[in-house]
Amino acid sequence: MTAISSDYSSLSAYAKTGLSSLLSTTSPISKDDEDSNTGVSTGTDTVTLSAEALAAANRESLGLPATGTLTLSDFETASSDQEDIVNTLLASAMEELGIDADQQVSLSLNSDNEIEVENSFTGSDELEDMLNANSEFTQAFTALTANNEILDFTEALQEKVTSTSLADYINSDTTEADLLSLAAQYSSINAASGSLETLWNISHEETPYTYVYNQG
């Protein structure tokens, strides 16, 4: 029997750390209300980004080309650039807090889109607070996480393809439940809007990423 263990029925499992949460979908453009006492405008008009504009902004937030077909090299280049930023800002934060420059630091994103220091050492709590308060760091780290999760997921898929014979799969005793599970996965993915965010949601579920500084 062919077992299908992955479950993509909830593609929004990582929604709080989804790409759209990094961006404001509305922008102030003009004043339109007036205070009855002062006559001064107090309201603000907003404009909502189109799906195409939001998709382009999401790509740019990850350091990827805003348009065109994405390739693995795009994710690799963006990840490398973001890791340089993360390394620089993290080293600066550690120095400011008096943390040993050689201290190993493991970082990840939790379900509330907050950075967590996974290992405990003197100053780790203060470092976690400082990193979460630094918008430049959180942007770079979130993008680094997304790009590496997608790259790791791609590698995992390639390994599965290499180790699995399609003929064996077709000829195996696949059950009704297996077929329904596979169909549900395909339907969920196919119906999801925003292919890049969908890819990230699946990648995070399958291959969550932890960044290790001073790994040695």
Side-chain angles (χ1 to χ4, degrees):
M1 183 183 78
T2 302
I4 303 174
S5 58
S6 299
D7 179 8
Y8 304 144
S9 59
S10 177
L11 294 177
S12 60
Y14 203 31
K16 290 185 179 179
T17 54
L19 304 178
S20 57
S21 69
L22 302 176
L23 305 164
S24 173
T25 57
T26 60
S27 304
I29 55 174
S30 65
K31 300 290 184 179
D32 65 351
D33 293 333
E34 249 184 34
D35 186 289
S36 58
N37 296 319
T38 64
V40 176
S41 296
T42 58
T44 303
D45 288 339
T46 59
V47 59
T48 301
L49 296 178
S50 67
E52 292 78 11
L54 182 57
N58 283 341
R59 285 186 175 208
E60 290 181 334
S61 75
L62 295 186
L64 301 169
T67 59
T69 302
L70 293 175
T71 65
L72 286 181
S73 62
D74 292 323
F75 291 99
E76 291 167 351
T77 299
S79 173
S80 177
D81 292 342
Q82 288 144 3
E83 186 168 358
D84 288 342
I85 296 172
V86 166
N87 284 339
T88 299
L89 295 177
L90 179 57
S92 178
M94 290 171 65
E95 181 179 9
E96 185 174 341
L97 293 172
I99 297 173
D100 187 344
D102 294 325
Q103 171 65 51
Q104 185 175 102
V105 181
S106 299
L107 303 175
S108 64
L109 285 176
N110 65 21
S111 59
D112 293 319
N113 199 23
E114 295 175 342
I115 297 167
E116 287 188 343
V117 177
E118 295 189 353
N119 52 326
S120 180
F121 51 86
T122 302
S124 60
D125 290 341
E126 291 80 3
L127 179 62
E128 185 175 285
D129 290 341
M130 180 176 287
L131 296 179
N132 278 296
N134 186 328
S135 59
E136 183 181 3
F137 186 88
T138 58
Q139 171 72 29
F141 185 76
T142 302
L144 175 67
T145 297
N147 286 317
N148 275 293
E149 285 177 345
I150 290 171
L151 288 168
D152 290 345
F153 180 58
T154 301
E155 183 177 351
L157 285 179
Q158 290 171 337
E159 290 177 357
K160 287 182 180 179
V161 170
T162 301
S163 63
T164 302
S165 166
L166 181 59
D168 289 343
Y169 178 81
I170 294 174
N171 294 325
S172 63
D173 187 16
T174 305
T175 69
E176 177 186 6
D178 290 329
L179 293 173
L180 287 172
S181 175
L182 184 61
Q185 291 175 28
Y186 175 80
S187 296
S188 295
I189 295 170
N190 193 48
S193 61
S195 59
L196 182 57
E197 184 148 11
T198 300
L199 177 60
W200 184 14
N201 287 336
I202 297 172
S203 299
H204 175 72
E205 181 179 326
E206 294 291 308
T207 53
Y209 173 74
T210 296
Y211 165 79
V212 182
Y213 181 72
N214 284 332
Q215 189 167 9

